[in-house]
Amino acid sequence: ERYLSEAFRASCPEAARALRATLLRCDAAGYAACCHAVAGVDWLDRLAQVRCPTLVIAGALDVGAPVAMSRAIVERIEGAELVVLQDAAHLGVLEQPVAFRAALVDLLGRVDAVVEPTPSTPA
């Protein structure tokens, strides 16, 4: 329930079942250890050091990593952008693949437009 919104689970039950099956195949102790490790991560004070184009994509319905967390990240990275997927929880890439892809393609297109080509090395 934390990964996928209720609406997505109802409209795409096969995808929800597949995700659940994948999660259930995980080693329970390893999964719990990863959750504990991630829970203690706090890099907010180091985010100002990020010097590359940054796009943060958040699901409006994400209870584990709420939009406020994403805003805190964006506020600390110069020029960072936030896209909020309104009908998605934690796995917005699964729930809203078209919107997720559009946001990513938009960023990559803008980055590609400002990157100067490097001269070719003579053979």
Side-chain angles (χ1 to χ4, degrees):
E1 293 176 0
R2 294 174 68 93
Y3 290 108
L4 303 171
S5 68
E6 183 178 344
F8 182 83
R9 292 190 318 270
S11 65
C12 300
E14 289 181 27
R17 278 193 295 274
L19 175 62
R20 186 174 194 283
T22 297
L23 292 171
L24 289 173
R25 283 193 302 271
C26 292
D27 175 73
Y31 185 87
C34 288
C35 291
H36 287 291
V38 171
V41 172
D42 182 0
W43 289 28
L44 289 177
D45 61 335
R46 297 184 65 198
L47 291 176
Q49 298 172 22
V50 174
R51 296 285 181 248
C52 62
T54 302
L55 174 65
V56 177
I57 302 176
L61 306 174
D62 191 342
V63 295
V67 173
M69 270 179 139
S70 296
R71 281 195 189 101
I73 293 168
V74 169
E75 289 169 359
R76 288 165 174 82
I77 300 173
E78 185 177 337
E81 301 172 48
L82 173 63
V83 170
V84 178
L85 303 177
Q86 293 304 314
D87 297 319
H90 194 66
L91 296 179
V93 68
L94 180 61
E95 291 190 78
Q96 301 287 326
V98 174
F100 192 98
R101 182 183 186 280
L104 191 56
V105 167
D106 178 61
L107 173 74
L108 293 175
R110 286 183 285 121
V111 168
D112 190 45
V114 297
V115 173
E116 295 181 25
T118 57
S120 299
T121 305

